[in-house]
Amino acid sequence: FTVSTGILLIFTDQLIKRDRFQRHERLVMATAKEVESTINRSKGLTIDSNKKISDKAYKNILADFSATRVVIWLSRPGKDPIFPENSAVSQFLENKELLKKAGVNAPGMQKPRSFEFNGNTYFTCSMPLPDGQGVLRFLEDVGINPTVRTENIYSLLLIWVLLVIVSSLYIRQILTVGLSPLTRLEIFMDNVSLRASGIVSNERVDLAAAPRELLGIISSYNNLADRLQKAWTQQLLFARSVSHELITPLALIGSSSRRLLRRLENLSDKDKALLSSINTEVRAADHLIRDLVELARSDTGSLHIETESVPLSSILTNLEDDLNSLSWGNRCEFNYINSQVKADQINLQVNVERLRQCIGNLLENAHKYSPADSKIILSVSLVDGNVCFDITDLGKGIAEDEHELIFEPFRRGSKGVCDVPGSGVGLALVAELINLMNGKVHVLRSDDSGTTMRIKVPSYSV
């Protein structure tokens, strides 16, 4: 709209100029007709032997049709032109340069044209008279100063720009007020999240204060918030039920199977293998249930961990003890790469048990997803002020487009997962716990020769 208005403003000036041309042309045609008629009526005033009108008569006739802004004279090629005897047009007749530019004694008919002289605009044209009397020439002072006209156009453009700005601000204010219900709805929707208390949102949009056009949208939002509240409440109840109803029986089953293995001496190898399998599955189920409960707590924002400043040397000692306690620990190789930096001079702000849990989870995955006789390397290094724990295996690797997906709940990589039992919960919990310690876990490298997973935690010197 604003662009079209500006273009219209520019073209308006051209239309006005064209209209002036047309008015000048109509004036010339009407005046020439009247002059010719007057000349015909004045045939009796001739005083020469050729029965022609005298120059004096021409001057009088031309004077009658000339005015302050329009002068008419008779151009006669080969003879001097005849000018009207009228003091009102003296401004034209005294300016020889102006008459010369208008074609003072030019022959033939001339279409209307404009020219500028001394800062003013003039229109001129000519109409021939019959019987070789000559050519009526017209010169009109349009009364337009090009400089003033340009300034006026610029002034109009400036006013137009100011109006556009004011209109834009006004329309913006109107839109802001008109869309305020949608803005409030946006705030309410951004406030929707599952809190530790289990409340999805403390507020609902009041339908009574809403515009009629938004009643459907607002009603749908309120209904959605209610459905989310119901669904997330059921999720919380499920997580709490699992933690109370399953963990305790699993712990009893596990402890009972271990006692049976220790106390019963006459069991066959098959029965011992069965009890060992029960104990292994119970531990796996217990681990899975605890991970699910903690993931549910993280979704509600109620998963919190306490961190403390811990020397890196203490963490390294714990990691070595953890590796030695594993049944498959002989596969693991431990490396501290930054030997030039003393580990007791570096501290981490972490929860030691949670960090050990995360590293243990990655080691367990490396054990499950790599050949039984292959090495698993745990490397610790200092990179750009961060302590990095790298777990490298020789498995089948992880597809590049799955490097981020495997940290989402219940998502597993596509390579070789069918041969290995799992739930896709462990890495999601690791990512959440490391994030709570201001760290990050990601796939550092993965191809057909194996995978390196990295846990990066900020460090500071003592």
Side-chain angles (χ1 to χ4, degrees):
F1 173 75
T2 55
V3 174
S4 61
T5 303
I7 295 174
L8 180 61
L9 185 61
I10 294 173
F11 274 98
T12 299
D13 180 64
Q14 300 298 322
L15 291 173
I16 292 174
K17 185 176 181 180
R18 180 182 174 185
D19 180 65
R20 290 196 184 102
F21 266 121
Q22 292 175 345
R23 286 192 292 108
H24 176 76
E25 187 174 18
R26 289 194 298 269
L27 172 65
V28 167
M29 294 179 66
T31 304
K33 185 176 180 180
E34 287 297 322
V35 169
E36 183 179 351
S37 177
T38 303
I39 290 173
N40 290 334
R41 290 196 303 269
S42 303
K43 292 292 185 179
L45 301 177
T46 57
I47 59 175
D48 58 10
S49 58
N50 295 323
K51 304 295 183 178
K52 292 185 178 179
I53 299 177
S54 65
D55 291 352
K56 179 68 173 178
Y58 276 123
K59 289 181 180 181
N60 291 332
I61 294 172
L62 294 174
D64 291 338
F65 289 94
S66 297
T68 305
R69 289 192 175 274
V70 180
V71 61
I72 305 172
W73 70 93
L74 186 61
S75 172
R76 299 183 299 178
K79 297 180 181 181
D80 293 335
I82 299 176
F83 294 101
E85 291 185 347
N86 188 338
S87 60
V89 295
S90 59
Q91 59 177 350
F92 294 104
L93 303 180
E94 293 173 357
N95 197 327
K96 303 301 181 182
E97 291 296 326
L98 174 60
L99 294 175
K100 182 179 179 181
K101 199 164 185 179
V104 61
N105 209 25
M109 180 177 179
Q110 185 183 54
K111 293 182 179 181
R113 65 181 178 90
S114 67
F115 65 91
E116 294 178 5
F117 185 81
N118 289 342
N120 291 316
T121 302
Y122 296 88
F123 287 168
T124 183
C125 68
S126 62
M127 295 287 290
L129 292 176
D131 302 327
Q133 297 179 78
V135 179
L136 283 177
R137 303 202 65 83
F138 296 80
L139 179 61
E140 179 184 1
D141 182 359
V142 183
I144 298 176
N145 189 310
T147 302
V148 175
R149 183 182 66 182
T150 303
E151 291 177 352
N152 290 337
I153 291 176
Y154 286 152
S155 299
L156 288 175
L157 285 173
L158 179 60
I159 294 172
W160 166 69
V161 171
L162 292 175
L163 287 175
V164 169
I165 295 174
V166 172
S167 299
S168 299
L169 294 175
Y170 184 67
I171 292 173
R172 179 184 178 88
Q173 185 64 28
I174 292 176
L175 290 176
T176 300
V177 174
L179 296 177
S180 57
L182 285 178
T183 303
R184 291 195 298 272
L185 178 60
E186 179 184 1
I187 295 173
F188 287 138
M189 295 181 71
D190 289 340
N191 192 41
V192 172
S193 61
L194 186 56
R195 298 165 173 77
S197 61
I199 302 298
V200 171
S201 176
N202 294 322
E203 298 180 76
R204 295 291 185 273
V205 184
D206 185 11
L207 292 176
R212 183 178 59 185
E213 294 80 5
L214 299 179
L215 289 179
I217 296 176
I218 295 175
S219 178
S220 296
Y221 159 76
N222 288 338
N223 293 334
L224 176 61
D226 291 337
R227 290 195 299 271
L228 287 175
Q229 179 67 69
K230 181 179 180 180
W232 285 350
T233 300
Q234 291 175 344
Q235 176 179 321
L236 281 177
L237 291 175
F238 171 76
R240 291 168 182 169
S241 298
V242 166
S243 62
H244 287 87
E245 302 298 330
L246 293 181
I247 291 179
T248 301
L250 286 174
L252 291 175
I253 293 173
S255 62
S256 298
S257 64
R258 289 192 295 273
R259 283 199 302 270
L260 286 174
L261 280 174
R262 289 195 303 268
R263 294 182 180 182
L264 298 178
E265 299 178 354
N266 298 325
L267 288 176
S268 64
D269 293 338
K270 185 176 181 180
D271 291 336
K272 290 181 180 180
L274 179 60
L275 287 175
S276 296
S277 176
I278 293 174
N279 192 38
T280 301
E281 294 299 327
V282 166
R283 284 201 305 271
D286 180 75
H287 189 269
L288 172 60
I289 291 171
R290 293 181 185 277
D291 286 351
L292 285 172
V293 171
E294 292 197 336
L295 271 181
R297 291 174 59 196
S298 69
D299 287 340
T300 64
S302 59
L303 177 60
H304 303 287
I305 60 175
E306 298 293 333
T307 62
E308 59 179 338
S309 179
V310 183
L312 177 59
S313 56
S314 173
I315 295 174
L316 297 181
T317 300
N318 290 332
L319 289 178
E320 290 180 342
D321 293 340
D322 291 340
L323 293 177
N324 293 330
S325 66
L326 295 173
S327 59
W328 40 269
N330 59 332
R331 295 179 55 190
C332 299
E333 179 181 319
F334 180 82
N335 293 322
Y336 177 55
I337 297 176
N338 297 90
S339 57
Q340 72 275 15
V341 181
K342 294 183 178 180
D344 57 1
Q345 296 178 347
I346 301 173
N347 277 20
L348 303 179
Q349 189 71 27
V350 296
N351 183 294
V352 177
E353 293 303 319
R354 291 296 194 178
L355 181 60
R356 292 171 65 185
Q357 175 185 349
C358 293
I359 296 175
N361 190 295
L362 296 185
L363 288 170
E364 181 72 26
N365 281 354
H367 163 63
K368 291 194 299 183
Y369 294 102
S370 61
D373 56 349
S374 63
K375 283 288 185 181
I376 299 173
I377 302 174
L378 171 58
S379 302
V380 182
S381 58
L382 188 63
V383 180
D384 297 330
N386 299 293
V387 173
C388 298
F389 301 90
D390 296 340
I391 293 90
T392 302
D393 63 55
L394 302 179
K396 296 181 179 180
I398 303 169
E400 185 175 356
D401 58 351
E402 297 175 342
H403 286 187
E404 297 294 332
L405 296 179
I406 59 174
F407 295 102
E408 297 179 5
F410 310 109
R411 300 293 293 268
R412 303 176 68 193
S414 58
K415 292 185 177 181
V417 296
C418 297
D419 304 328
V420 181
S423 61
V425 174
L427 286 180
L429 181 60
V430 168
E432 183 66 28
L433 292 174
I434 295 298
N435 182 63
L436 291 175
M437 290 184 279
N438 298 316
K440 182 180 179 181
V441 58
H442 63 281
V443 179
L444 183 64
R445 177 199 63 84
S446 186
D447 51 39
D448 293 338
S449 64
T451 299
T452 299
M453 305 288 290
R454 168 168 286 185
I455 292 177
K456 182 170 63 176
V457 182
S459 66
Y460 59 94
S461 300
V462 179

